């Protein structure tokens, strides 16, 4: 039996209960929906183009803002006050990657005070303030009455929090706030325009993650956060009530990996490394345990320096393994409560990997090697959404109500990936040319137990026979998933029309990490972390003539 959210009746496009049929290309189609022979065709919904994670749910007016000149003042190590000046500039629209149109220069002045605060960030996302190091001010002419200033903090993945006091905070767009944060002198970013292309402002919490468009106002999004949670989150009322979002600086989901590989600025690469490290430790970048340990060894070398036999012992890594390894890898050690370690334990393997890193390797080189491995992961740079899927049950278990399995839905320029967030393993990974999709609303929109969903249709080979599979993913964020998929599909179409090449999947070999031989190692045999596990999914199966030859769970196919 299905769990909550697994409703039987869904509205596909404008009709309910449409009949499924097949074409000669083994593609499931419907009479009035958009699952057609062209896997990239969708007709039922027309979301706004170039829309980030929850852009469809956020409103903001297009104001005009100036390129403000910001003076940064600091007092290094107690010396006399030193002053340097930087100009907040904005990237132009002639960029090679997709991005919503940016506000033009206008007549509104913005005063900014930036404090850089060192913070320690754990894998669980908690932060602890340690020191405040820098203050900077802006003086703009002519004098005029001050607009209301609301202290604002932008958190970076590199254990830094930028504190800003922006005049007219309530009307300040994300573009201005992003430029001010990246323009902070202490970050040491040389190419600030490039940085504004690589990164974006996000509003994030355990329940919802939203990348803001340049014209969105972070303050307005924060004020409307409870409404966004009611519409898009899976949390209960208590979780929603206590949810506290943070404004964070993260990788722009629309920035292509191919362009990222060309970046030379060490500070930008360091910020990208910190974000990749965060996703690895959080278990979002799923991989084999041996690969997690390999990356943990590189991270340990970056943070601890060269191996020291007196300090870097097995007991040290046993006590600190959660600092370098995802929880599901670190906790796998047998007899972890004993003061001894087996040869196959995570801490012993982590120490061995740490020793293998050459002593001559520089931090800059190691960070890039870490990124090179992550670039080869199919879901690198993805936006993550929360969802749930039915679990297949057999025998007497089918008589009992089963809870749906919580999953993460990762969407990037390569495709869509469904991840078991409990076991940190891939359930299904598909490139855009491999599937069709449809966004569907429940017929009874007033039933809180009925969730919107995404239908995925893709080909498979079972026992040497070609078939087509249909999968249903339930999520309150299904509209956001649909919008992001639509954007990347349309982007690929425009690229092909202009004669461009598709996003590159080639990754340069990594001397420190030997696992980057296959940049997209998703297999269909169900073996290993990065493989499609059809046996763990509730699917409907169709033959080449469109007949339903098998179905599990509550998914009902009618003709």
């Amino acid at each position: 039996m299905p769990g909550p959210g697994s409703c039987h009746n869904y509205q596909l496009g404008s009709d309910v209960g449409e009949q499924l049929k097949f074409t000669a290309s083994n593609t499931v189609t419907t009479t009035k929906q958009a699952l057609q022979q062209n896997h990239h065709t969708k007709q039922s919904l027309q979301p706004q183009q170039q829309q980030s994670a929850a852009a469809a749910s956020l409103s903001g007016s297009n104001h005009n803002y100036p390129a403000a000149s910001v003076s940064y003042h600091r007092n290094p190590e107690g010396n006399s006050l030193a002053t340097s000046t930087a100009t907040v500039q904005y990237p132009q629209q002639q960029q090679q990657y997709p991005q919503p149109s940016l506000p033009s220069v206008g007549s509104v002045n913005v005063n900014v005070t930036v404090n850089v605060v060192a913070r320690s960030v754990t894998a669980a996302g908690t932060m602890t303030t340690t020191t405040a190091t820098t203050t900077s001010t802006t003086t703009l002419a002519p004098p005029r009455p001050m607009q209301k200033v609301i202290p604002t903090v932008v958190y970076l993945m590199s254990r830094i929090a930028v504190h800003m006091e922006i005049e007219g905070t309530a009307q300040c767009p994300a573009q201005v706030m992003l430029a001010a944060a990246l323009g902070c002198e202490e970050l040491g970013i040389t190419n600030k325009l490039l940085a504004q292309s690589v990164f974006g402002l996000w509003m994030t919490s355990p329940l919802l993650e939203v990348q803001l468009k340049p014209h969105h106002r972070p303050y307005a999004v924060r004020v409307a956060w409870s409404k966004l949670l009611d519409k898009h989150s899976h949390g209960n009322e208590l979780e929603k009530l206590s949810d506290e979002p943070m404004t964070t600086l993260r990788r722009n989901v629309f920035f292509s990996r191919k362009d990222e590989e060309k970046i030379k600025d060490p500070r930008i690469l360091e910020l990208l490394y910190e974000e990749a490290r965060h996703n690895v430790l959080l278990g979002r970048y799923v991989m084999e345990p041996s690969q997690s340990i390999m990356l943990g060894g590189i991270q340990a070398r970056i943070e601890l320096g060269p191996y020291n036999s007196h300090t870097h012992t097995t007991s040290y890594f046993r006590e600190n393994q959660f600092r370098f390894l995802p929880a599901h890898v670190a906790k796998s050690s047998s007899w972890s409560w004993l003061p001894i370690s087996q040869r196959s334990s995570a801490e012993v393997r982590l120490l061995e990997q740490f020793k293998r890193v050459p002593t001559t390797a520089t931090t800059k080189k190691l960070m890039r090697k870490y990124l090179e491995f992550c670039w080869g992961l199919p879901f690198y740079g993805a936006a993550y959404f929360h969802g749930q899927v039915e679990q297949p049950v057999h025998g007497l278990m089918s008589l009992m109500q089963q809870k749906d399995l919580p999953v993460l839905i990762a969407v990037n320029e390569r495709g869509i990936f469904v991840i078991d967030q409990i076991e940190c393993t891939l359930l299904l990974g598909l490139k855009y040319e491999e599937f069709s999709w449809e966004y569907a609303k429940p017929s009874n929109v007033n039933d809180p137990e009925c969730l919107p969903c995404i239908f995925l249709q893709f080909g498979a080979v079972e026992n040497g026979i070609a078939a087509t599979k249909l999968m249903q993913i339930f999520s309150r964020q299904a509209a956001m998933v649909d919008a992001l998929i639509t954007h990347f599909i349309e982007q690929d179409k425009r690229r092909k029309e202009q004669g461009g090449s598709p996003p590159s999947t080639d990754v340069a070999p990594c001397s420190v990490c030997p696992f980057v031989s296959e940049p997209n190692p998703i297999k269909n045999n169900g073996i290993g972390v990065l493989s499609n596990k059809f046996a763990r999914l509730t699917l409907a199966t169709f033959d080449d003539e469109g007949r339903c030859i098998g179905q599990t769970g509550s998914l009902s196919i009618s003709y």
Side-chain angles (χ1 to χ4, degrees), residues 76 179 191 275 371:
N191 193 336
E275 183 169 348
L371 281 172

Side-chain angles (χ1 to χ4, degrees), residues 362-382:
T362 63
T363 297
K364 178 181 176 181
K365 181 178 179 180
L366 290 174
M367 286 184 177
R368 187 168 187 90
K369 294 302 181 183
Y370 194 104
L371 281 172
E372 285 177 357
F373 175 84
C374 292
W375 288 336
L377 296 173
F379 29 72
Y380 176 79

Side-chain angles (χ1 to χ4, degrees), residues 28 50 63 103 110 143 158 201 228 237 297 299 381 383 396 412 447 467 518 534:
V28 178
Q50 299 185 355
H63 297 284
V110 180
S158 58
L201 277 190
L228 292 175
E237 292 303 319
Q299 178 193 338
L396 294 178
N412 65 2
D447 187 349
E518 176 57 52
F534 298 147

Side-chain angles (χ1 to χ4, degrees), residues 91 95-99 194 196-198 252 254-256 259 491:
Q95 302 184 56
Q96 297 179 353
Y97 66 95
Q99 180 173 315
L194 174 61
Q196 292 175 52
S197 302
V198 177
N252 178 5
F254 300 118
F255 191 78
S256 74
D259 291 334
Q491 171 186 267

Side-chain angles (χ1 to χ4, degrees), residues 68 81 238 303 307 396 416 444 452 456:
L81 188 65
L238 182 60
E303 298 180 8
Y307 168 70
L396 294 178
I416 185 171
N444 184 4
L456 296 180

Side-chain angles (χ1 to χ4, degrees), residues 286 328 405 419-427 529 536:
V286 296
H328 68 283
L405 176 68
I419 298 171
D420 181 343
Q421 63 184 74
I422 297 178
E423 297 186 8
C424 295
T425 187
L426 182 72
L427 296 177
V529 174
R536 294 189 55 185

